[in-house]
Amino acid sequence: MAYMAEALARIALAHAAPTDTMVVVSPVMLYCVLGALGAWTAWFGRRRAAEGARRQAEAEAAAAATA
């Protein structure tokens, strides 16, 4: 999804901006997309780890309640 958005932005900018501007902007866009994907991956990983810990605690509490 992020790469599709990047491609659409590049197409729009290629038609609207001069060539020398796109030569400068294009590499910057790549690093912005990679940074955004890295930040999302870190956020999502922490969220999933917290959810897994919560489910583990619930399972242990349920097992202790039935024992």
Side-chain angles (χ1 to χ4, degrees):
M1 184 71 151
Y3 289 121
M4 182 67 90
E6 178 193 7
L8 292 173
R10 284 178 189 264
I11 291 168
L13 285 172
H15 288 288
T19 303
D20 57 342
T21 303
M22 279 304 296
V23 169
V24 173
V25 171
S26 185
V28 173
M29 287 179 63
L30 174 64
Y31 291 119
C32 289
V33 169
L34 291 176
L37 286 174
W40 181 83
T41 300
W43 169 79
F44 189 75
R46 284 192 300 271
R47 191 182 93 175
R48 295 296 290 172
E51 183 178 335
R54 181 186 56 82
R55 287 184 181 189
Q56 178 82 25
E58 289 175 358
E60 290 171 356
T66 59

